[in-house]
Amino acid sequence: MKPVLAITRRLPADVEARARATYDVRLNEGDAPLSRDDILALCQGAGAVLVSVGDPIDAQFIAALPDTVGIIASFSVGTDHIDLAACAARKIIVGNTPDVLTDATADIALLLILGAARRASEGEAEIRTASWSSWRPTHMMGTQVSGKKLGIIGMGRIGQAVAKRARGFDMDIHYYNRTRLSADLECGATFHDSIDGLLPHCQFLSLHCPSTAQTKGMVDAGFIAKLPDGAILVNTARGDIVRDDDLIAALKSGKLMAAGLDVFAGEPNINPAYRTLPNTFLLPHLGSATIETRNAMGFRALDNLDAFFAGKKVPFTVSA
Ligand code: DGY
């Protein structure tokens, strides 16, 4: 008999096909976000649940999860939507999908850097609203990316992939990471042993740290004040690392020239002020959204489940 697998969201067709071949799948066919109770209902009699970014896998959910569920496989590298300590207390394994989304996410970070610096939202809006009057020497001037300093907080796989791409734009890379990279991984980037030491150098700043108790709300007014005037902030990590009100105030005052944001606190109900600011370049959490990457994420999540049900070591796990 196939193990029962609850899946909270629709997955790419090839991933769903592989899941159905191996498991008795209980799928949220409608694809609307499910409440805690709806996910719990889907999990009755299941041996595993495959969840996604934004699902409320909190302590209350874990406490109510049927005993039959031995593994939660997340279709994501980030696991901030899962209470890992509550999972550990119930000996529930948590799997994630690292590595396979590195390139896609780094690409989106570069898109945000370029889009914010070159005023892409404003430019596109002119075209779409037929309000472009003419080519003119002073029209919609942005700021040059080449030759500028790019600060990166979190020099893991994605941070390094962003640095690699940014070097192609002749950017000068500075970074903060808990541990300094070896020279071959650093590739000439300048290491700062504190975030406070890094910030004054960042004409651009790209966030690549997870959302944790330490980083939640880290980008606040005091943090922003340490950036050079006219800096550009890019976030492809997690929205709650930024205090929205403080970022919005800095974008309004001109302290920051622009922000490129792919992630938001309270997604999809983002702070509405972001929508009205001309100097924001905004995407709806598309970092990993290529067919190749989403397939690879799905297959990795299924590899984790297959290993679990075969009694083998689950290859990609996270713990509290
Ligand atoms: C993840 O996997 O955590 C990403 O945010 C999805 O794009």
Side-chain angles (χ1 to χ4, degrees), residues 53 75-80 97 101 105 236-238 262-263 285-289 294 297:
V53 171
F75 186 99
S76 65
V77 63
T79 50
D80 50 302
T97 64
L101 40 63
T105 308
T236 54
R238 281 295 182 266
D262 184 47
V263 288
H285 204 148
L286 295 182
S288 61
R294 291 283 165 88
M297 290 168 73

mmCIF file with all atom_site columns, all heavy atoms in Angstrom, residues 53 75-80 97 101 105 236-238 262-263 285-289 294 297, ligand 1:
data_model
loop_
_atom_site.group_PDB
_atom_site.id
_atom_site.type_symbol
_atom_site.label_atom_id
_atom_site.label_alt_id
_atom_site.label_comp_id
_atom_site.label_asym_id
_atom_site.label_entity_id
_atom_site.label_seq_id
_atom_site.pdbx_PDB_ins_code
_atom_site.Cartn_x
_atom_site.Cartn_y
_atom_site.Cartn_z
_atom_site.occupancy
_atom_site.B_iso_or_equiv
_atom_site.pdbx_formal_charge
_atom_site.auth_seq_id
_atom_site.auth_comp_id
_atom_site.auth_asym_id
_atom_site.auth_atom_id
_atom_site.pdbx_PDB_model_num
ATOM   1   N N   . VAL A 1 53  ? 5.997  27.520 1.765   1.00 0.00 ? 53  VAL A N   1
ATOM   2   C CA  . VAL A 1 53  ? 6.202  28.839 2.380   1.00 0.00 ? 53  VAL A CA  1
ATOM   3   C C   . VAL A 1 53  ? 4.844  29.420 2.770   1.00 0.00 ? 53  VAL A C   1
ATOM   4   O O   . VAL A 1 53  ? 3.898  29.378 1.985   1.00 0.00 ? 53  VAL A O   1
ATOM   5   C CB  . VAL A 1 53  ? 6.885  29.782 1.359   1.00 0.00 ? 53  VAL A CB  1
ATOM   6   C CG1 . VAL A 1 53  ? 6.934  31.210 1.865   1.00 0.00 ? 53  VAL A CG1 1
ATOM   7   C CG2 . VAL A 1 53  ? 8.274  29.270 1.005   1.00 0.00 ? 53  VAL A CG2 1
ATOM   8   N N   . PHE A 1 75  ? 8.515  22.411 0.904   1.00 0.00 ? 75  PHE A N   1
ATOM   9   C CA  . PHE A 1 75  ? 8.874  22.797 -0.464  1.00 0.00 ? 75  PHE A CA  1
ATOM   10  C C   . PHE A 1 75  ? 9.493  24.187 -0.364  1.00 0.00 ? 75  PHE A C   1
ATOM   11  O O   . PHE A 1 75  ? 8.913  25.185 -0.769  1.00 0.00 ? 75  PHE A O   1
ATOM   12  C CB  . PHE A 1 75  ? 7.595  22.810 -1.315  1.00 0.00 ? 75  PHE A CB  1
ATOM   13  C CG  . PHE A 1 75  ? 7.801  23.056 -2.794  1.00 0.00 ? 75  PHE A CG  1
ATOM   14  C CD1 . PHE A 1 75  ? 7.819  21.997 -3.686  1.00 0.00 ? 75  PHE A CD1 1
ATOM   15  C CD2 . PHE A 1 75  ? 7.957  24.330 -3.299  1.00 0.00 ? 75  PHE A CD2 1
ATOM   16  C CE1 . PHE A 1 75  ? 7.993  22.212 -5.052  1.00 0.00 ? 75  PHE A CE1 1
ATOM   17  C CE2 . PHE A 1 75  ? 8.140  24.561 -4.661  1.00 0.00 ? 75  PHE A CE2 1
ATOM   18  C CZ  . PHE A 1 75  ? 8.151  23.499 -5.532  1.00 0.00 ? 75  PHE A CZ  1
ATOM   19  N N   . SER A 1 76  ? 10.668 24.267 0.239   1.00 0.00 ? 76  SER A N   1
ATOM   20  C CA  . SER A 1 76  ? 11.346 25.552 0.457   1.00 0.00 ? 76  SER A CA  1
ATOM   21  C C   . SER A 1 76  ? 12.686 25.264 1.108   1.00 0.00 ? 76  SER A C   1
ATOM   22  O O   . SER A 1 76  ? 12.866 24.219 1.738   1.00 0.00 ? 76  SER A O   1
ATOM   23  C CB  . SER A 1 76  ? 10.536 26.462 1.396   1.00 0.00 ? 76  SER A CB  1
ATOM   24  O OG  . SER A 1 76  ? 10.464 25.889 2.688   1.00 0.00 ? 76  SER A OG  1
ATOM   25  N N   . VAL A 1 77  ? 13.590 26.232 0.976   1.00 0.00 ? 77  VAL A N   1
ATOM   26  C CA  . VAL A 1 77  ? 14.814 26.134 1.776   1.00 0.00 ? 77  VAL A CA  1
ATOM   27  C C   . VAL A 1 77  ? 14.561 26.766 3.138   1.00 0.00 ? 77  VAL A C   1
ATOM   28  O O   . VAL A 1 77  ? 14.992 26.254 4.167   1.00 0.00 ? 77  VAL A O   1
ATOM   29  C CB  . VAL A 1 77  ? 16.030 26.766 1.050   1.00 0.00 ? 77  VAL A CB  1
ATOM   30  C CG1 . VAL A 1 77  ? 15.865 28.250 0.796   1.00 0.00 ? 77  VAL A CG1 1
ATOM   31  C CG2 . VAL A 1 77  ? 17.310 26.523 1.829   1.00 0.00 ? 77  VAL A CG2 1
ATOM   32  N N   . GLY A 1 78  ? 13.821 27.883 3.162   1.00 0.00 ? 78  GLY A N   1
ATOM   33  C CA  . GLY A 1 78  ? 13.521 28.555 4.432   1.00 0.00 ? 78  GLY A CA  1
ATOM   34  C C   . GLY A 1 78  ? 12.507 27.745 5.220   1.00 0.00 ? 78  GLY A C   1
ATOM   35  O O   . GLY A 1 78  ? 11.585 27.149 4.647   1.00 0.00 ? 78  GLY A O   1
ATOM   36  N N   . THR A 1 79  ? 12.689 27.721 6.536   1.00 0.00 ? 79  THR A N   1
ATOM   37  C CA  . THR A 1 79  ? 11.751 26.954 7.373   1.00 0.00 ? 79  THR A CA  1
ATOM   38  C C   . THR A 1 79  ? 11.196 27.825 8.498   1.00 0.00 ? 79  THR A C   1
ATOM   39  O O   . THR A 1 79  ? 10.791 27.313 9.540   1.00 0.00 ? 79  THR A O   1
ATOM   40  C CB  . THR A 1 79  ? 12.445 25.698 7.953   1.00 0.00 ? 79  THR A CB  1
ATOM   41  O OG1 . THR A 1 79  ? 13.688 26.088 8.540   1.00 0.00 ? 79  THR A OG1 1
ATOM   42  C CG2 . THR A 1 79  ? 12.686 24.651 6.894   1.00 0.00 ? 79  THR A CG2 1
ATOM   43  N N   . ASP A 1 80  ? 11.176 29.143 8.272   1.00 0.00 ? 80  ASP A N   1
ATOM   44  C CA  . ASP A 1 80  ? 10.693 30.038 9.321   1.00 0.00 ? 80  ASP A CA  1
ATOM   45  C C   . ASP A 1 80  ? 9.191  29.901 9.550   1.00 0.00 ? 80  ASP A C   1
ATOM   46  O O   . ASP A 1 80  ? 8.685  30.395 10.551  1.00 0.00 ? 80  ASP A O   1
ATOM   47  C CB  . ASP A 1 80  ? 11.058 31.497 8.985   1.00 0.00 ? 80  ASP A CB  1
ATOM   48  C CG  . ASP A 1 80  ? 10.665 31.867 7.570   1.00 0.00 ? 80  ASP A CG  1
ATOM   49  O OD1 . ASP A 1 80  ? 11.132 31.210 6.630   1.00 0.00 ? 80  ASP A OD1 1
ATOM   50  O OD2 . ASP A 1 80  ? 9.864  32.810 7.415   1.00 0.00 ? 80  ASP A OD2 1
ATOM   51  N N   . THR A 1 97  ? 14.689 22.086 1.082   1.00 0.00 ? 97  THR A N   1
ATOM   52  C CA  . THR A 1 97  ? 15.196 21.919 -0.297  1.00 0.00 ? 97  THR A CA  1
ATOM   53  C C   . THR A 1 97  ? 16.323 22.919 -0.615  1.00 0.00 ? 97  THR A C   1
ATOM   54  O O   . THR A 1 97  ? 16.156 23.778 -1.490  1.00 0.00 ? 97  THR A O   1
ATOM   55  C CB  . THR A 1 97  ? 14.053 22.117 -1.317  1.00 0.00 ? 97  THR A CB  1
ATOM   56  O OG1 . THR A 1 97  ? 13.585 23.466 -1.218  1.00 0.00 ? 97  THR A OG1 1
ATOM   57  C CG2 . THR A 1 97  ? 12.901 21.171 -1.074  1.00 0.00 ? 97  THR A CG2 1
ATOM   58  N N   . LEU A 1 101 ? 17.721 26.127 -5.397  1.00 0.00 ? 101 LEU A N   1
ATOM   59  C CA  . LEU A 1 101 ? 17.146 27.437 -5.752  1.00 0.00 ? 101 LEU A CA  1
ATOM   60  C C   . LEU A 1 101 ? 18.168 28.565 -5.711  1.00 0.00 ? 101 LEU A C   1
ATOM   61  O O   . LEU A 1 101 ? 17.833 29.742 -5.876  1.00 0.00 ? 101 LEU A O   1
ATOM   62  C CB  . LEU A 1 101 ? 15.926 27.776 -4.891  1.00 0.00 ? 101 LEU A CB  1
ATOM   63  C CG  . LEU A 1 101 ? 15.953 27.447 -3.416  1.00 0.00 ? 101 LEU A CG  1
ATOM   64  C CD1 . LEU A 1 101 ? 17.026 28.192 -2.703  1.00 0.00 ? 101 LEU A CD1 1
ATOM   65  C CD2 . LEU A 1 101 ? 14.601 27.697 -2.812  1.00 0.00 ? 101 LEU A CD2 1
ATOM   66  N N   . THR A 1 105 ? 17.368 32.361 -7.283  1.00 0.00 ? 105 THR A N   1
ATOM   67  C CA  . THR A 1 105 ? 17.203 33.438 -6.297  1.00 0.00 ? 105 THR A CA  1
ATOM   68  C C   . THR A 1 105 ? 18.257 34.528 -6.504  1.00 0.00 ? 105 THR A C   1
ATOM   69  O O   . THR A 1 105 ? 17.950 35.731 -6.405  1.00 0.00 ? 105 THR A O   1
ATOM   70  C CB  . THR A 1 105 ? 17.285 32.865 -4.865  1.00 0.00 ? 105 THR A CB  1
ATOM   71  O OG1 . THR A 1 105 ? 16.363 31.783 -4.758  1.00 0.00 ? 105 THR A OG1 1
ATOM   72  C CG2 . THR A 1 105 ? 16.950 33.923 -3.823  1.00 0.00 ? 105 THR A CG2 1
ATOM   73  N N   . THR A 1 236 ? 15.748 39.555 -0.879  1.00 0.00 ? 236 THR A N   1
ATOM   74  C CA  . THR A 1 236 ? 15.186 38.318 -1.430  1.00 0.00 ? 236 THR A CA  1
ATOM   75  C C   . THR A 1 236 ? 15.157 37.242 -0.346  1.00 0.00 ? 236 THR A C   1
ATOM   76  O O   . THR A 1 236 ? 14.952 36.068 -0.663  1.00 0.00 ? 236 THR A O   1
ATOM   77  C CB  . THR A 1 236 ? 16.031 37.785 -2.609  1.00 0.00 ? 236 THR A CB  1
ATOM   78  O OG1 . THR A 1 236 ? 17.392 37.665 -2.159  1.00 0.00 ? 236 THR A OG1 1
ATOM   79  C CG2 . THR A 1 236 ? 15.974 38.686 -3.813  1.00 0.00 ? 236 THR A CG2 1
ATOM   80  N N   . ALA A 1 237 ? 15.389 37.654 0.915   1.00 0.00 ? 237 ALA A N   1
ATOM   81  C CA  . ALA A 1 237 ? 15.506 36.655 1.993   1.00 0.00 ? 237 ALA A CA  1
ATOM   82  C C   . ALA A 1 237 ? 14.138 36.426 2.648   1.00 0.00 ? 237 ALA A C   1
ATOM   83  O O   . ALA A 1 237 ? 13.400 35.535 2.222   1.00 0.00 ? 237 ALA A O   1
ATOM   84  C CB  . ALA A 1 237 ? 16.560 37.112 2.988   1.00 0.00 ? 237 ALA A CB  1
ATOM   85  N N   . ARG A 1 238 ? 13.800 37.239 3.631   1.00 0.00 ? 238 ARG A N   1
ATOM   86  C CA  . ARG A 1 238 ? 12.482 37.170 4.252   1.00 0.00 ? 238 ARG A CA  1
ATOM   87  C C   . ARG A 1 238 ? 12.060 38.583 4.633   1.00 0.00 ? 238 ARG A C   1
ATOM   88  O O   . ARG A 1 238 ? 12.863 39.391 5.105   1.00 0.00 ? 238 ARG A O   1
ATOM   89  C CB  . ARG A 1 238 ? 12.509 36.302 5.509   1.00 0.00 ? 238 ARG A CB  1
ATOM   90  C CG  . ARG A 1 238 ? 12.480 34.806 5.246   1.00 0.00 ? 238 ARG A CG  1
ATOM   91  C CD  . ARG A 1 238 ? 11.166 34.347 4.591   1.00 0.00 ? 238 ARG A CD  1
ATOM   92  N NE  . ARG A 1 238 ? 11.092 32.909 4.377   1.00 0.00 ? 238 ARG A NE  1
ATOM   93  C CZ  . ARG A 1 238 ? 11.429 32.296 3.234   1.00 0.00 ? 238 ARG A CZ  1
ATOM   94  N NH1 . ARG A 1 238 ? 11.884 32.990 2.204   1.00 0.00 ? 238 ARG A NH1 1
ATOM   95  N NH2 . ARG A 1 238 ? 11.301 30.983 3.124   1.00 0.00 ? 238 ARG A NH2 1
ATOM   96  N N   . ASP A 1 262 ? 11.485 41.379 -2.967  1.00 0.00 ? 262 ASP A N   1
ATOM   97  C CA  . ASP A 1 262 ? 10.783 40.194 -3.467  1.00 0.00 ? 262 ASP A CA  1
ATOM   98  C C   . ASP A 1 262 ? 10.013 39.517 -2.336  1.00 0.00 ? 262 ASP A C   1
ATOM   99  O O   . ASP A 1 262 ? 9.202  38.629 -2.589  1.00 0.00 ? 262 ASP A O   1
ATOM   100 C CB  . ASP A 1 262 ? 11.807 39.209 -4.058  1.00 0.00 ? 262 ASP A CB  1
ATOM   101 C CG  . ASP A 1 262 ? 11.160 37.989 -4.696  1.00 0.00 ? 262 ASP A CG  1
ATOM   102 O OD1 . ASP A 1 262 ? 10.192 38.174 -5.468  1.00 0.00 ? 262 ASP A OD1 1
ATOM   103 O OD2 . ASP A 1 262 ? 11.603 36.852 -4.429  1.00 0.00 ? 262 ASP A OD2 1
ATOM   104 N N   . VAL A 1 263 ? 10.295 39.934 -1.111  1.00 0.00 ? 263 VAL A N   1
ATOM   105 C CA  . VAL A 1 263 ? 9.683  39.290 0.059   1.00 0.00 ? 263 VAL A CA  1
ATOM   106 C C   . VAL A 1 263 ? 9.193  40.369 1.014   1.00 0.00 ? 263 VAL A C   1
ATOM   107 O O   . VAL A 1 263 ? 9.765  41.466 1.082   1.00 0.00 ? 263 VAL A O   1
ATOM   108 C CB  . VAL A 1 263 ? 10.708 38.369 0.772   1.00 0.00 ? 263 VAL A CB  1
ATOM   109 C CG1 . VAL A 1 263 ? 10.997 37.129 -0.034  1.00 0.00 ? 263 VAL A CG1 1
ATOM   110 C CG2 . VAL A 1 263 ? 12.007 39.124 1.066   1.00 0.00 ? 263 VAL A CG2 1
ATOM   111 N N   . HIS A 1 285 ? 7.416  37.515 -4.340  1.00 0.00 ? 285 HIS A N   1
ATOM   112 C CA  . HIS A 1 285 ? 8.173  36.342 -3.872  1.00 0.00 ? 285 HIS A CA  1
ATOM   113 C C   . HIS A 1 285 ? 8.423  35.344 -5.020  1.00 0.00 ? 285 HIS A C   1
ATOM   114 O O   . HIS A 1 285 ? 8.009  34.193 -4.958  1.00 0.00 ? 285 HIS A O   1
ATOM   115 C CB  . HIS A 1 285 ? 7.454  35.654 -2.701  1.00 0.00 ? 285 HIS A CB  1
ATOM   116 C CG  . HIS A 1 285 ? 8.391  34.844 -1.832  1.00 0.00 ? 285 HIS A CG  1
ATOM   117 N ND1 . HIS A 1 285 ? 8.202  34.674 -0.482  1.00 0.00 ? 285 HIS A ND1 1
ATOM   118 C CD2 . HIS A 1 285 ? 9.529  34.155 -2.136  1.00 0.00 ? 285 HIS A CD2 1
ATOM   119 C CE1 . HIS A 1 285 ? 9.165  33.909 0.005   1.00 0.00 ? 285 HIS A CE1 1
ATOM   120 N NE2 . HIS A 1 285 ? 9.989  33.578 -0.981  1.00 0.00 ? 285 HIS A NE2 1
ATOM   121 N N   . LEU A 1 286 ? 9.131  35.835 -6.029  1.00 0.00 ? 286 LEU A N   1
ATOM   122 C CA  . LEU A 1 286 ? 9.399  35.017 -7.221  1.00 0.00 ? 286 LEU A CA  1
ATOM   123 C C   . LEU A 1 286 ? 10.812 34.435 -7.249  1.00 0.00 ? 286 LEU A C   1
ATOM   124 O O   . LEU A 1 286 ? 11.223 33.881 -8.264  1.00 0.00 ? 286 LEU A O   1
ATOM   125 C CB  . LEU A 1 286 ? 9.203  35.880 -8.486  1.00 0.00 ? 286 LEU A CB  1
ATOM   126 C CG  . LEU A 1 286 ? 7.796  36.386 -8.768  1.00 0.00 ? 286 LEU A CG  1
ATOM   127 C CD1 . LEU A 1 286 ? 7.769  37.189 -10.073 1.00 0.00 ? 286 LEU A CD1 1
ATOM   128 C CD2 . LEU A 1 286 ? 6.814  35.221 -8.863  1.00 0.00 ? 286 LEU A CD2 1
ATOM   129 N N   . GLY A 1 287 ? 11.552 34.584 -6.136  1.00 0.00 ? 287 GLY A N   1
ATOM   130 C CA  . GLY A 1 287 ? 12.965 34.195 -6.137  1.00 0.00 ? 287 GLY A CA  1
ATOM   131 C C   . GLY A 1 287 ? 13.237 32.851 -6.798  1.00 0.00 ? 287 GLY A C   1
ATOM   132 O O   . GLY A 1 287 ? 14.141 32.717 -7.615  1.00 0.00 ? 287 GLY A O   1
ATOM   133 N N   . SER A 1 288 ? 12.462 31.856 -6.438  1.00 0.00 ? 288 SER A N   1
ATOM   134 C CA  . SER A 1 288 ? 12.733 30.501 -6.957  1.00 0.00 ? 288 SER A CA  1
ATOM   135 C C   . SER A 1 288 ? 11.802 30.120 -8.108  1.00 0.00 ? 288 SER A C   1
ATOM   136 O O   . SER A 1 288 ? 11.772 28.955 -8.527  1.00 0.00 ? 288 SER A O   1
ATOM   137 C CB  . SER A 1 288 ? 12.582 29.486 -5.822  1.00 0.00 ? 288 SER A CB  1
ATOM   138 O OG  . SER A 1 288 ? 11.256 29.514 -5.316  1.00 0.00 ? 288 SER A OG  1
ATOM   139 N N   . ALA A 1 289 ? 11.048 31.090 -8.622  1.00 0.00 ? 289 ALA A N   1
ATOM   140 C CA  . ALA A 1 289 ? 9.957  30.754 -9.546  1.00 0.00 ? 289 ALA A CA  1
ATOM   141 C C   . ALA A 1 289 ? 10.400 30.587 -10.998 1.00 0.00 ? 289 ALA A C   1
ATOM   142 O O   . ALA A 1 289 ? 10.021 31.357 -11.879 1.00 0.00 ? 289 ALA A O   1
ATOM   143 C CB  . ALA A 1 289 ? 8.847  31.802 -9.434  1.00 0.00 ? 289 ALA A CB  1
ATOM   144 N N   . ARG A 1 294 ? 11.573 25.094 -9.598  1.00 0.00 ? 294 ARG A N   1
ATOM   145 C CA  . ARG A 1 294 ? 10.436 24.562 -8.830  1.00 0.00 ? 294 ARG A CA  1
ATOM   146 C C   . ARG A 1 294 ? 10.329 23.041 -9.003  1.00 0.00 ? 294 ARG A C   1
ATOM   147 O O   . ARG A 1 294 ? 9.960  22.332 -8.068  1.00 0.00 ? 294 ARG A O   1
ATOM   148 C CB  . ARG A 1 294 ? 9.153  25.272 -9.239  1.00 0.00 ? 294 ARG A CB  1
ATOM   149 C CG  . ARG A 1 294 ? 9.114  26.752 -8.794  1.00 0.00 ? 294 ARG A CG  1
ATOM   150 C CD  . ARG A 1 294 ? 8.791  26.878 -7.313  1.00 0.00 ? 294 ARG A CD  1
ATOM   151 N NE  . ARG A 1 294 ? 9.079  28.189 -6.758  1.00 0.00 ? 294 ARG A NE  1
ATOM   152 C CZ  . ARG A 1 294 ? 8.239  29.230 -6.737  1.00 0.00 ? 294 ARG A CZ  1
ATOM   153 N NH1 . ARG A 1 294 ? 7.039  29.123 -7.286  1.00 0.00 ? 294 ARG A NH1 1
ATOM   154 N NH2 . ARG A 1 294 ? 8.595  30.361 -6.172  1.00 0.00 ? 294 ARG A NH2 1
ATOM   155 N N   . MET A 1 297 ? 13.027 21.702 -6.702  1.00 0.00 ? 297 MET A N   1
ATOM   156 C CA  . MET A 1 297 ? 12.607 21.784 -5.295  1.00 0.00 ? 297 MET A CA  1
ATOM   157 C C   . MET A 1 297 ? 11.628 20.658 -4.962  1.00 0.00 ? 297 MET A C   1
ATOM   158 O O   . MET A 1 297 ? 11.730 20.007 -3.921  1.00 0.00 ? 297 MET A O   1
ATOM   159 C CB  . MET A 1 297 ? 11.954 23.143 -5.013  1.00 0.00 ? 297 MET A CB  1
ATOM   160 C CG  . MET A 1 297 ? 12.929 24.308 -5.039  1.00 0.00 ? 297 MET A CG  1
ATOM   161 S SD  . MET A 1 297 ? 12.086 25.912 -5.047  1.00 0.00 ? 297 MET A SD  1
ATOM   162 C CE  . MET A 1 297 ? 11.471 26.011 -3.359  1.00 0.00 ? 297 MET A CE  1
HETATM 163 C C1  . DGY B 2 .   ? 12.376 29.340 0.015   1.00 0.00 ? 1   DGY B C1  1
HETATM 164 O O1  . DGY B 2 .   ? 12.480 28.218 -0.496  1.00 0.00 ? 1   DGY B O1  1
HETATM 165 O O2  . DGY B 2 .   ? 12.511 29.522 1.219   1.00 0.00 ? 1   DGY B O2  1
HETATM 166 C C2  . DGY B 2 .   ? 12.113 30.472 -0.884  1.00 0.00 ? 1   DGY B C2  1
HETATM 167 O O3  . DGY B 2 .   ? 11.781 31.616 -0.205  1.00 0.00 ? 1   DGY B O3  1
HETATM 168 C C3  . DGY B 2 .   ? 11.057 30.128 -1.924  1.00 0.00 ? 1   DGY B C3  1
HETATM 169 O O4  . DGY B 2 .   ? 11.273 30.997 -3.000  1.00 0.00 ? 1   DGY B O4  1
#
